[in-house]
Amino acid sequence: MRRRQRRSTDPVPGRPIQEPSASPASPEPGTGIAGYRVVRRIASGRRADLYLAAATREGRVRGGQGAADGIAVDGTTLVVLRVYRDDAADVAIGIESEVMDDVPGASPPALIDVATADDGSRILVVERIAGASVAQLLTERTLEPGEAVTLIAPIAAAVARLADRGFVHTRLAPSDVRLDESGRPRLLGLGAVERLPAGGADRTAMRREGLAALAGYAEAVITAVRPGGVFDDARALMAAALARRPFVAFEQELERVVFASATPAAVGGVAPARVQRTPARVLPPQATVEPTGLPEGSVDRAPNVRGTRLPSVAVGLLDVAEVPPPLIERVMDSVEGDRLAGIRVRLRSWALRRRRQIVVAALVGAAALVMLLTMVPPADARSGGDVDAAQSATEDAGARQEAFDEGGAKASPDASAPEPVDPGVAVVGDDPEAAASELLMRRAACFAVLDPECLATYVQAGSPIEESDWRLLLAARDGAPGIADLDADSAAVVAEMGAAVLVDVEAEGSGAGVSLLIVQSDAGWRLREIFTEKTELP
């Protein structure tokens, strides 16, 4: 097939620089590009459009970074298609593909395939790295010294590998490093990689620029470490090396000093790696038709057995064990309270004989709980320095995230979907009701676009709602109903317990509602749990 003539982007004296060409027609979800089925567009920038896609064939394809036997793909393998515009320079695309395919140890995304579309657009098929970025991690919480070693040392080694092959990353920021499913930091932002000149002052100046970017990335990570002062030797090394004349590279020395300062540790506070799969449907669910009533005389006990004569503890154990509903019904019919009646009688008689001890223990426990709640400082008692540092990190990470997203591509959602929320923008303020309303609106926006990655914009890491909303969103992708509509403007505070606040919210169109548990931290307000019934407090 023929490739269209590309316009030159090199400035010519006496002629204005041409604007970038318009984006190619966006393919609809489900259409094929270069043998891959498009799921959705995930970003659009000045040089390329990025699409999430699924392989339509099985087998093994090419893959760099030690994948000598190739990467196994099938109909559920998700990849990223980089569809470059006509005015994107061939030299820059060649550098990106060469770094991904031929630089061992630099840990960029693996280059899976190279293709050309029917309209002549150049396409790179690369590995999808779906973990959290270091910029997002720094805005969420502080780091342990061992976690900082894990985030700095591999990147310093990657910069050294690039220099050995004649490349330099001129814009290395926390937003250019992302954790993969194994928790290993991977180097992104390859649009800022340039080839080093052959020699002379220009080569030294570009190497110094790349190492200054590495020092800035390391400084951002070290600033988030608690307790402070652990990496003072690394800071002194970077400052002295950048000021030294003549210039001497310091990546290996930085790696050695970092390892000597602390023992490496896995990065915690990150959602566990989940198996990525292609959804059966990529559009938001349509309105569903409620089933008609059950025939007269039938009994519907299988979906939920709560409220039966079985004790709540037994029902909970059966639910956790995922016992099939028919077997639960047989257990209920056979028990009828007889087998557990003797246990209840013995427990009651035991409690009556030890009534005084039980009452004293309950009073002591209640007093301890009141004392614990009294000792927890309120949200306003936090040190202003930590809050200011968190807000500053949020603003810096948000600006970098807006400027570049995977190789310099600026994120932009589909025109038909609600605009997603930047994960780096925290929900801050002293009004818990306003914070609860904002978190509910973010949750509704995530379920509208069916993007599991945007859960990080409103949930607290490791909280119960993180796993439950993940499962609900995947089920919604496959056609299940979404979440109930809640009136965000009806948020009302019920109780405050230090940094935790219990908020009641009404459901739209009815008097029923739910209770929200939101928590304020250095990363702002986060949603921790949703109770299906309002919590009544004495």
Side-chain angles (χ1 to χ4, degrees):
M1 58 185 69
R2 253 171 130 176
R3 188 184 294 276
R4 295 179 295 178
Q5 185 68 27
R6 300 189 184 89
R7 294 178 296 175
S8 173
T9 58
D10 298 332
V12 178
R15 187 179 71 183
I17 299 176
Q18 295 177 342
E19 294 294 331
S21 63
S23 174
S26 178
E28 296 293 331
T31 58
I33 295 182
Y36 296 86
R37 178 169 59 86
V38 173
V39 177
R40 59 183 174 86
R41 185 175 63 179
I42 56 178
S44 180
R46 182 179 58 83
R47 300 173 57 246
D49 291 328
L50 304 183
Y51 296 91
L52 183 66
T56 58
R57 62 182 184 272
E58 296 185 359
R60 305 190 74 84
V61 296
R62 61 180 297 181
Q65 305 308 312
D69 298 331
I71 298 176
V73 297
D74 54 28
T76 62
T77 302
L78 293 178
V79 298
V80 174
L81 303 182
R82 297 188 182 186
V83 182
Y84 292 89
R85 302 175 187 272
D86 286 348
D87 55 358
D90 287 334
V91 174
I93 300 175
I95 290 176
E96 289 187 47
S97 60
E98 186 174 350
V99 168
M100 288 186 287
D101 195 48
D102 295 332
V103 182
S107 67
L111 179 63
I112 297 177
D113 202 354
V114 179
T116 303
D118 293 337
D119 61 355
S121 300
R122 296 150 294 174
I123 300 173
L124 294 183
V125 183
V126 303
E127 174 191 5
R128 183 192 184 219
I129 302 176
S133 66
V134 174
Q136 177 183 348
L137 189 65
L138 296 182
T139 60
E140 290 284 345
R141 62 179 183 86
T142 58
L143 299 176
E144 297 292 335
E147 295 175 323
V149 175
T150 303
L151 295 178
I152 295 176
I155 299 303
V159 171
R161 301 294 192 282
L162 287 174
D164 292 341
R165 290 301 184 95
F167 298 101
V168 60
H169 200 304
T170 60
R171 189 214 67 229
L172 181 58
S175 58
D176 294 318
V177 180
R178 188 177 292 269
L179 300 177
D180 60 14
E181 293 182 353
S182 63
R184 182 168 61 105
R186 305 289 295 275
L187 188 62
L188 302 180
L190 302 184
V193 175
E194 297 184 14
R195 194 181 299 275
L196 286 168
D202 292 340
R203 182 183 180 91
T204 302
M206 186 173 290
R207 280 282 282 141
R208 187 187 300 273
E209 179 184 1
L211 290 179
L214 172 63
Y217 165 79
E219 178 64 27
V221 175
I222 293 173
T223 302
V225 175
R226 296 292 182 275
V230 178
F231 296 100
D232 287 346
D233 292 343
R235 281 175 162 166
L237 168 68
M238 293 185 293
L242 291 175
R244 184 183 304 161
R245 299 293 187 277
F247 171 74
V248 177
F250 59 87
E251 302 102 319
Q252 295 181 355
E253 185 67 15
L254 174 62
E255 186 178 3
R256 185 191 65 79
V257 171
V258 167
F259 275 117
S261 301
T263 303
V267 179
V270 181
R274 301 178 177 92
V275 178
Q276 299 291 340
R277 60 185 180 86
T278 306
R281 180 168 58 79
V282 295
L283 297 178
Q286 305 297 322
T288 57
V289 179
E290 295 295 334
T292 58
L294 296 173
E296 184 177 359
S298 61
V299 179
D300 183 20
R301 292 190 298 178
N304 188 354
V305 298
R306 298 190 184 276
T308 63
R309 285 189 292 269
L310 272 176
S312 59
V313 176
V315 173
L317 292 176
L318 292 174
D319 288 344
V320 171
E322 298 182 354
V323 177
L327 183 56
I328 295 178
E329 291 187 359
R330 292 178 57 188
V331 172
M332 290 189 301
D333 294 338
S334 61
V335 172
E336 293 295 338
D338 293 338
R339 296 186 180 180
L340 298 179
I343 299 177
R344 287 199 297 269
V345 171
R346 288 193 293 271
L347 287 176
R348 186 180 299 111
S349 61
W350 178 86
L352 290 175
R353 290 194 303 269
R354 295 167 176 80
R355 179 182 301 176
R356 178 175 300 178
Q357 294 89 330
I358 294 175
V359 171
V360 172
L363 292 176
V364 172
L369 179 60
V370 171
M371 181 178 298
L372 178 62
L373 293 178
T374 304
M375 294 175 61
V376 174
D380 296 337
R382 291 196 188 92
S383 63
D386 290 344
V387 176
D388 293 340
Q391 292 179 350
S392 176
T394 297
E395 294 172 358
D396 295 341
R400 288 191 292 267
Q401 191 68 20
E402 289 180 1
F404 296 97
D405 186 2
E406 282 206 37
K410 186 175 181 180
S412 66
D414 295 339
S416 60
E419 185 170 353
V421 182
D422 187 350
V425 179
V427 180
V428 296
D430 297 328
D431 187 357
E433 294 179 354
S437 300
E438 176 63 20
L439 292 173
L440 286 177
M441 289 188 288
R442 292 191 178 193
R443 184 172 184 249
C446 286
F447 276 85
V449 298
L450 298 179
D451 185 6
E453 294 182 5
C454 77
L455 293 179
T457 62
Y458 69 91
V459 301
Q460 183 186 27
S463 62
I465 195 174
E466 180 183 28
E467 187 65 23
S468 62
D469 274 12
W470 173 272
R471 296 182 182 278
L472 285 175
L473 200 147
L474 289 184
R477 280 189 167 191
D478 293 335
I483 57 176
D485 294 330
L486 300 176
D487 186 6
D489 296 332
S490 66
V493 174
V494 176
E496 295 187 18
M497 297 163 288
V501 180
L502 188 65
V503 181
D504 274 357
V505 180
E506 301 291 341
E508 292 186 355
S510 67
V514 299
S515 294
L516 313 178
L517 182 60
I518 61 177
V519 180
Q520 189 180 32
S521 64
D522 291 344
W525 290 97
R526 292 287 173 170
L527 184 59
R528 178 170 180 83
E529 192 167 4
I530 295 181
F531 305 97
T532 56
E533 296 181 358
K534 291 184 179 178
T535 302
E536 299 293 338
L537 296 179

